[in-house]
Amino acid sequence: MTGIKQLLGKEVEIEISGKTFFTGLLIDAGLDILVLFDGEEYLYIPLMHLHNISERTIKSNEESIEKPTNKMPFQNDEESISYRKILNNAKGQFLEVFVTGNRSIHGYITSVLNDYIVFYSPVYKTIFISMQHLKWLIPYSSTLTPYTLSNTVLPVVPSNIPLSRSFEEQLKKYEGKLLVFDLGDNPNKVGLVNSVKNNIVNLTTAGGHTFFWKLIHLKTVHIP
């Protein structure tokens, strides 16, 4: 066994993008994603955000993490895991996903396209999330729903929005409309989309200022 897989079943410490650190049992690892169990929840972390991983040294005053007794979500025991397989298997199941800053989004995946996913949130409604910016996802317990809302309020149905295969092509459909990028964490990422071309989004803010945003650095988008 070579690479990260030699740490399977061991307690590890992980650092990912944004100086974020996790400790837990390494449950599974594929070519582009790993699964960590922190004692309570499963975390699915795409390897593109992994900075380093090492075996944890447990000190005498620290407790080790017990192996989970429940079956790992989204898993087909006969197949090795991959980022895209996990996203497809997770469709329709309630999740907590982390994309930008220290804020999480709660809801479920409705579609998986070439380089982005369509996510339904009771707060933001339909969100397009770039796959390269999704840092980790956590499946809900089967008995929980976001904000304890009933399933009638959160119907698991596919989005009826026409979808393009790529993130850029999808955004082109919203030229001339108001969009919110990255959950509005920056007021200069909220405004009227003038054009989407050559991986550049031309955006005019409420104050009338025009900004040109490189698409690769935009993480999420939703319609206000």
Side-chain angles (χ1 to χ4, degrees):
M1 188 179 296
T2 59
I4 292 175
K5 287 192 174 183
Q6 65 186 301
L7 296 173
L8 284 174
K10 297 179 180 179
E11 289 193 41
V12 296
E13 294 177 334
I14 291 176
E15 179 186 0
I16 68 168
S17 303
K19 295 189 180 297
T20 302
F21 299 87
F22 295 111
T23 299
L25 284 170
L26 184 62
I27 300 297
D28 203 351
L31 291 176
D32 57 3
I33 196 168
L34 60 79
V35 187
L36 196 71
F37 180 70
D38 67 1
E40 295 182 1
E41 299 173 315
Y42 289 95
L43 291 84
Y44 291 76
I45 304 172
L47 290 183
M48 69 181 77
H49 297 297
L50 179 70
H51 284 217
N52 64 76
I53 180 171
S54 62
E55 186 172 356
R56 178 191 179 201
T57 301
I58 303 174
K59 299 176 182 178
S60 58
N61 62 339
E62 295 178 332
E63 294 184 358
S64 60
I65 297 173
E66 295 185 5
K67 292 183 178 180
T69 55
N70 55 328
K71 187 177 180 181
M72 190 170 68
F74 319 143
Q75 182 69 12
N76 184 334
D77 295 332
E78 298 178 357
E79 298 179 355
S80 61
I81 65 169
S82 74
Y83 184 23
R84 185 169 290 276
K85 285 178 184 176
I86 292 299
L87 292 176
N88 276 302
N89 290 342
K91 283 194 296 187
Q93 299 191 45
F94 294 120
L95 309 168
E96 180 178 5
V97 300
F98 288 76
V99 183
T100 180
N102 59 358
R103 286 190 289 173
S104 60
I105 310 171
H106 301 258
Y108 53 86
I109 297 169
T110 62
S111 299
V112 180
L113 287 306
N114 284 357
D115 60 353
Y116 73 103
I117 63 172
V118 184
F119 193 85
Y120 182 81
S121 155
V123 174
Y124 302 101
K125 306 310 177 186
T126 297
I127 310 175
F128 305 124
I129 301 176
S130 168
M131 285 172 59
Q132 69 176 357
H133 289 296
L134 198 160
K135 290 183 176 178
W136 70 92
L137 63 85
I138 301 172
Y140 269 56
S141 162
S142 59
T143 60
L144 296 175
T145 59
Y147 312 102
T148 66
L149 293 171
S150 68
N151 286 331
T152 57
V153 179
L154 274 175
V156 181
V157 294
S159 170
N160 58 4
I161 298 173
L163 300 173
S164 296
R165 298 305 302 173
S166 75
F167 194 43
E168 181 175 7
E169 289 300 317
Q170 184 64 21
L171 294 188
K172 285 181 180 180
K173 294 182 176 182
Y174 296 96
E175 291 178 344
K177 296 184 179 181
L178 288 172
L179 291 183
V180 177
F181 291 93
D182 296 352
L183 305 184
D185 63 349
N186 181 338
N188 296 331
K189 291 183 178 179
V190 180
L192 180 72
V193 175
N194 300 306
S195 66
V196 181
K197 188 177 181 181
N198 297 327
N199 292 306
I200 298 290
V201 177
N202 179 323
L203 185 76
T204 299
T205 64
H209 299 288
T210 298
F211 290 83
F212 295 88
W213 287 101
K214 195 74 185 294
L215 185 60
I216 195 173
H217 296 300
L218 297 175
K219 306 171 184 69
T220 71
V221 60
H222 70 276
I223 302 168

